[in-house]
Structures are given as C-alpha cells and as structure tokens.
Amino acid sequence: MTCWKKRLKAGALALIALALAAVPYWPWEAPDADLEAMGGAKIPDGPYVALTFDDGPKAATTPILLDGLAQRGVHATFFVVGQNVEGNELLLQRMEGEGHQIGLHTYHHKVLAELNASDFYTEVDELRAILTALVGREAFMLRPPYGMMNAATQDRAAAPIILWSVDPEDWSDRDTDRQVSVILDSVKDGDIILLHDIYPASVETALQVVDVMMARGFHFVTVEELFAIRGKTPENGKVYRKLPPSE
Ligand code: NI
C-alpha cells in the first residue's frame, strides 16, 4: 500500500472507532417525566424554560435548592463536577429520584478545548462512569466548563453539548435582586438559564425566578424534557443554547 493509502485507511479506522465509541452513551432514551402530568393539553403552548445549575453539588447549598424546587414541583438540570460528587453521592441520588436531570461538567472543571484526547476521556468518561454507577443511567448531556470548546470537544463528547441562552453571571456579585431582574428582563420560551448551585444567593435567585415565572404561566422542565416537548432528538456533539418553539 502506498503511504497515502495507509494514512487513508488509518484515518477511516479511527473514524469508525470514534463513531462506535460514541454510540453507547446516546441516542436519547425517553425521559422519565410524564409529559401529560406536566401540562397535558397545554404542552404545545408552553412557555417552557430549563433552569440549569453548574459546578455542584455542594452540601451547604444544593439541598436547600432541592427542597425549594420540590416544594414548587419544579425539575431542573444539574451539570456536576466529579470532585464535588465525592462525599455528596446521596445528593446525586436525590436529584435523580426527584426527577431532576444530571449532566457532565468534567471531573476537575477543566477547559475541554485545552485537553489532549487522553485527558479529555479522563475528565469526561470517568465522571460518566461514576454517575452511571450512582444513578444507573449511561446517557448524560455535557456542559463544557466556561462554555469553552472546539471541534475536537464536539468529536469526543459522545453526548449532546448544552450551553445556555440566559446568563445573569451569578458568580460575579452574588446579588439576588440584580440576578432576578436580569433573568426576568430577557427570558423567553425555550430558554436555558445558567446558574450555580454553589452560592446561597443563586439558590435564592432560582427560587424567586420560579415563583415569578410560574405566576406568569411558565413551566420549568429539565433540558431532556425541553427536547421532548419540542419533538427534537438531541444529537451527540451538537451544540444547543436554547430550544425555542419555532426552531
Ligand atoms: Ni462551571
């Protein structure tokens, strides 16, 4: 075989290996949520939004958020960091048991775009294995830390990549009043809201936003549920920032 043919063959094999590696984690399985119970005939009308929380869990703040969400009958999505899962395993199982969605946010909160393939798999696949052992699922969506990613991240993800469309930058000032107004001023049907469940002010922001928006007719769902409501199937490696009704 000529040199370029060998390279072509090696490249093709690598592509096939990548494709096979990507299969077990997705496609999407039907969500646990009973869509009828979430609004029955009103489902097509919405409006629907997904609250997402990064960087946890944290023993001091996450349970307060889970209590508040449970009191309001609201489901959210938690993109967890592997090193914070250690010691908080019961919180993860509580999230799963209460209908929340758990997603990947790497083991050490690393910038995925800066990692080589081996480190990428350590950061993402090790966390995925830990979560699978804890909650018995294999399919987890991925949120890259800082939203930073490149083509290699998308190729390696073996998961849909979930960014956000509403960001009050809650880490910057821990000011609930300001964060609530930023969210309420811009939020629309199908938005994905970014908060962090590691700050008490952000927990308070989330619960205040839920109360105001529910009174305005919004429904809070997980990212998975939002896909199901829109009739869309999340695809591995594809980037999603929001799921408005028209797209
Ligand atoms: Ni983060």
Side-chain angles (χ1 to χ4, degrees):
M1 236 188 281
T2 60
C3 184
W4 66 268
K5 274 187 180 164
K6 269 186 197 163
R7 274 196 212 150
L8 208 65
K9 196 179 169 195
L13 285 175
L15 273 179
I16 291 166
L18 259 181
L20 286 175
V23 167
Y25 304 120
W26 222 264
W28 159 252
E29 298 158 28
D32 295 338
D34 180 350
L35 294 184
E36 295 260 317
M38 287 160 51
K42 288 190 293 183
I43 283 177
D45 300 327
Y48 290 91
V49 288
L51 270 179
T52 65
F53 298 93
D54 288 8
D55 296 2
K58 188 173 177 181
T61 46
T62 306
I64 298 168
L65 175 61
L66 291 176
D67 290 346
L69 296 176
Q71 283 162 8
R72 293 159 174 82
V74 162
H75 292 162
T77 304
F78 293 85
F79 291 98
V80 299
V81 170
Q83 59 188 356
N84 295 338
V85 170
E86 287 177 38
N88 289 314
E89 289 84 356
L90 290 177
L91 273 180
L92 269 288
Q93 289 170 336
R94 178 177 172 192
M95 286 172 187
E96 176 75 15
E98 294 182 354
H100 302 295
Q101 180 185 347
I102 297 167
L104 308 161
H105 199 48
T106 76
Y107 198 91
H108 298 100
H109 206 266
K110 290 282 173 91
V111 175
L112 289 174
E114 293 173 355
L115 301 183
N116 63 31
S118 161
D119 289 344
F120 181 96
Y121 293 122
T122 301
E123 283 295 325
V124 175
D125 289 352
E126 282 194 11
L127 175 55
R128 179 157 28 214
I130 288 167
L131 295 182
T132 295
L134 273 176
V135 301
R137 289 175 175 236
E138 290 190 347
F140 298 97
M141 295 181 177
L142 171 68
R143 172 167 287 162
Y146 316 101
M148 289 173 71
M149 41 174 264
N150 57 18
T153 312
Q154 291 181 257
D155 286 344
R156 296 165 181 164
I161 297 172
I162 309 299
L163 300 182
W164 55 85
S165 52
V166 175
D167 177 10
E169 299 187 348
D170 60 332
W171 45 267
S172 66
D173 60 3
R174 328 277 170 90
D175 179 342
T176 291
D177 288 346
R178 186 198 61 82
Q179 293 166 18
V180 169
S181 13
V182 168
I183 294 170
L184 294 180
D185 284 351
S186 71
V187 72
K188 296 179 300 294
D189 193 2
D191 271 335
I192 297 175
I193 302 171
L194 170 63
L195 287 167
H196 298 79
D197 54 316
I198 55 172
Y199 306 122
S202 304
V203 170
E204 184 57 31
T205 293
L207 298 178
Q208 286 190 21
V209 162
V210 167
D211 287 339
V212 175
M213 289 179 63
M214 282 179 87
R216 294 180 184 176
F218 277 84
H219 303 269
F220 286 85
V221 294
T222 67
V223 174
E224 292 176 334
E225 289 166 344
L226 195 52
F227 273 99
I229 286 161
R230 299 300 186 219
K232 292 189 83 168
T233 303
E235 293 173 38
N236 285 356
K238 195 166 171 186
V239 178
Y240 302 90
R241 291 178 175 80
K242 56 183 173 178
L243 288 156
S246 53
E247 288 179 19

